[in-house]
Amino acid sequence: MLKSEDIVYACTCDFAGKTRGKGFPASDMEKRLKRGIGWAPTNTQITCFDAIAPSPFGALGDRVLIPDAATRVTLRAPEMGLSEDFVLGDLHTTDGQPWALCPRSILKAALERLKRVAGLTVVASFEHEFQFRDAGMARGTAYSLQGFRPNRVFAERLMGAMREAGLEPDTIMKEYGVDQFEVTMDPAQGVTAADHSVILRQLVYAVAESCGHAATFTPLQDPAGIGNGLHIHFSFLDENGTPATHDPKGKHGMSAQASAFAAGVLRHVDEIMAILAPSLVSYGRLTPHRWSAAFNNLGVQDREATLRICPVSAMSDIDTARQFNLEFRAADACASPYLQLAALVHAGCQGIEEGLTAPDATEEDLASLAPDLLAARGLHRLPTSLPDALEKFEASTHIRDWFGADFVEVYRLHKQGEIDFLANNSVEETHRAYALAY
Ligand code: GLU
Ligand code: MG
C-alpha cells in the first residue's frame, strides 16, 4: 500500500530574506546533518521576484547546506491545516569551511567579533508587524478587541505554533494599520534570535493560510498607508551572563559599552541601511510621522527614533538591568535577519573599538527642524531610497572589512537585479509586487 513519507525542508534565509532550501525524507535526518544538501552558489542571486541577478558564479560550483538540528520545527496538526517540518542551517564550501556569502555564518562571525572586542553576547528579539492582504476589516479596529475577535483563532494557533517551535510568545495585537497585526516574542541569544525571526515569519504565513488568509510583511503595502516595521530589540550579557546594557549613572542609563555600541550604529547607519531596509518600498515607510524612523537619531522612549531606549517598568518581575534594551526601528522584513543583526553588531563593534559615546537623545519632532539646525547636531535623514542606500553601502570604508569584499559586490549585484526587475513598473505595481513577494 502506498504510504506518504515525512519530508524535512532544510533552509537558508538568503540575501532576499527568503527562506529557501530543499526537502529530504525525514528518516535521512542523521545522514543529512553530516552530509548536508547541495546548493548552487548562484541561488544567492535569486531575488525576491525569482529573477536571477547577475552572478559571478554562473552555472558553476557547489555549496553544501548543513542543517542545524537545534532549529528544526515540526508541527503536525492536520486538523488545523498545519503541516510543517523544516530546519535552518549554514552554507559551507565543499571542503567544509563556512561560505563567505552564508548569511548565518556572516552573523556568527559578527558575534565572534563582539565577543573578541567587548566580551559581550547579544540578546535580541525581533518584533514583527504584518498585514493580511485580503481580510478587508472595517476601519475603526485599531488595537481593538473588535478587531482582534475575528482573528482569535489565528492568534491562538500562532501562539501555540510558536511555543511548539521553541519561540516564547510575548504579545499579539490588532495593530493600528488596515488588517495589521503585531507579534512579539521573548529575546534569545546570538544566532538563535535571528533563527527565531526566520521561523516566526514562516509560522505567520502558515497559520494565516490555515485560517484562509494571506499574510504579508511588506514594509509598505499602500504608499499612503501604515508601514509594517521590524523592530530589532537588543541588549548584552557579559562573560558571566550578567546583563551589561544598563548603568543608572551612564549616558541615558546605558553602560559605557552599550553607549559606544549605540554610537557606532548611529554613526554607520547610512552604510548598513541597504541591508536593514533592503527593498524599493522600504523607504516610503522611513519617512517622518509614521512612528517608524527617518533620521539618524537616538531617542528615549521615542517611537520615531532610529534607535530607541526602551522603557523599563518598576512593576515587572524582571529586574531593570535585564529589562533594559535598545530598539532599532528602521528595519523591515524584506531582509535576512542574519544579515540585519550582523550589520548592527558590526557597526556597534566599530563604536566600541573607537571608544565612542552615544549622542544626546532627541526630544522634538526632527521633521520640523531646518537641515542646518539638524546638521549642527550631527543629525540627518536616513537614506531616502534603495539606490541612495546602496550608494552609501558601496562607498563605506568599513563594510568590506566587516562583511568581506565578495559579499559587498555580490549583494550589490543582487539588489541591482531587484531594482532592474521592476524598472518598468508603476509605483502601485511596485508596492503590489512586494506585497505578494513578502
Ligand atoms: N508601524 C510602525 C512602523 O512602521 C510601528 C508602530 C509601532 O510603534 O509599533 O515601524
Ligand atoms: Mg507595532
Side-chain angles (χ1 to χ4, degrees):
M1 205 179 70
L2 176 69
K3 269 180 71 200
S4 68
E5 242 187 86
D6 289 355
I7 287 175
V8 183
Y9 214 74
C11 304
T12 175
C13 184
D14 63 10
F15 284 12
K18 288 275 178 185
T19 301
R20 296 191 227 248
K22 286 182 187 172
F24 55 80
S27 52
D28 283 349
M29 188 66 178
E30 283 311 311
K31 267 192 273 183
R32 292 292 176 182
L33 288 176
K34 293 193 198 76
R35 194 193 289 167
I37 56 164
W39 198 245
T42 283
N43 287 358
T44 211
Q45 294 305 67
I46 303 176
T47 67
C48 61
F49 305 117
D50 288 353
I52 302 181
S55 164
F57 310 105
L60 299 177
D62 275 294
R63 301 293 178 268
V64 184
L65 175 55
I66 303 282
D68 176 345
T71 66
R72 183 167 173 189
V73 173
T74 309
L75 294 176
R76 299 282 184 187
E79 71 288 0
M80 295 184 193
L82 281 173
S83 207
E84 292 291 325
D85 200 341
F86 62 90
V87 66
L88 307 174
D90 298 326
L91 291 163
H92 291 257
T93 58
T94 45
D95 56 7
Q97 299 304 308
W99 185 32
L101 303 183
C102 167
R104 199 163 182 263
S105 304
I106 287 171
L107 173 57
K108 286 181 179 171
L111 295 169
E112 274 160 28
R113 179 178 177 204
L114 182 63
K115 186 130 268 169
R116 206 167 51 240
V117 306
L120 296 177
T121 300
V122 76
V123 177
S125 178
F126 290 65
E127 171 186 332
H128 293 81
E129 291 175 336
F130 56 92
Q131 284 164 296
F132 288 160
R133 282 197 272 112
D134 49 7
M137 292 171 71
R139 288 209 163 261
T141 54
Y143 306 119
S144 72
L145 180 57
Q146 225 184 327
F148 178 76
R149 187 172 295 120
N151 299 292
R152 177 177 286 276
V153 171
F154 162 75
E156 292 183 350
R157 257 182 214 177
L158 181 62
M159 300 268 108
M162 288 168 69
R163 205 181 293 285
E164 187 72 22
L167 283 52
E168 289 294 317
D170 180 42
T171 63
I172 185 157
M173 62 160 149
K174 169 67 192 65
E175 247 285 3
Y176 180 77
V178 174
D179 300 337
Q180 189 183 40
F181 301 86
E182 177 191 295
V183 60
T184 61
M185 57 186 153
D186 283 359
Q189 286 187 32
V191 179
T192 305
D195 288 335
H196 284 183
S197 175
V198 177
I199 293 168
L200 180 89
R201 296 175 200 185
Q202 294 307 313
L203 296 182
V204 167
Y205 288 133
V207 175
E209 217 175 291
S210 80
C211 295
H213 290 302
T216 180
F217 290 86
T218 188
L220 201 56
Q221 205 179 187
D222 168 4
I226 302 295
N228 291 308
L230 173 72
H231 302 164
I232 305 174
H233 292 261
F234 60 90
S235 61
F236 306 103
L237 297 176
D238 70 13
E239 267 144 341
N240 306 314
T242 307
T245 327
H246 180 51
D247 176 354
K249 293 191 289 295
K251 183 140 192 192
H252 298 306
M254 286 182 280
S255 66
Q257 284 177 317
S259 165
F261 189 101
V265 168
L266 291 170
R267 176 170 291 188
H268 299 290
V269 67
D270 288 359
E271 300 153 60
I272 54 178
M273 282 306 287
I275 294 174
L276 287 150
S279 83
L280 280 168
V281 296
S282 297
Y283 293 85
R285 174 181 158 256
L286 300 174
T287 50
H289 308 146
R290 284 174 169 277
W291 284 26
S292 58
F295 296 87
N296 63 333
N297 63 324
L298 176 71
V300 179
Q301 301 181 23
D302 174 354
R303 288 189 177 75
E304 289 211 15
T306 282
L307 202 55
R308 178 171 90 120
I309 299 171
C310 293
V312 288
S313 163
M315 288 163 305
S316 172
D317 54 319
I318 307 167
D319 60 54
T320 303
R322 221 170 263 280
Q323 279 182 61
F324 195 88
N325 71 89
L326 305 177
E327 176 190 36
F328 185 87
R329 295 178 65 86
D332 61 58
C334 292
S336 173
Y338 302 119
L339 297 179
Q340 292 178 308
L341 194 54
L344 292 177
V345 167
H346 275 303
C349 283
Q350 198 69 30
I352 291 175
E353 281 180 342
E354 292 173 13
L356 304 181
T357 304
D360 292 333
T362 57
E363 286 178 341
E364 62 278 77
D365 176 7
L366 299 185
S368 68
L369 300 184
D372 56 326
L373 278 178
L374 289 171
R377 290 166 57 186
L379 295 167
H380 59 259
R381 278 292 301 272
L382 296 176
T384 54
S385 69
L386 180 57
D388 182 15
L390 276 174
E391 231 170 77
K392 286 163 178 151
F393 167 79
E394 255 205 289
S396 166
T397 52
H398 294 287
I399 222 101
R400 283 170 185 78
D401 292 340
W402 300 346
F403 285 88
D406 286 353
F407 171 85
V408 176
E409 180 56 10
V410 178
Y411 188 79
R412 189 191 63 77
L413 286 170
H414 180 117
K415 285 289 139 186
Q416 194 55 51
E418 180 178 329
I419 294 170
D420 293 345
F421 182 80
L422 291 178
N424 298 318
N425 285 254
S426 68
V427 171
E428 286 69 27
E429 285 165 346
T430 299
H431 283 80
R432 177 89 187 135
Y434 279 105
L436 292 173
Y438 291 102

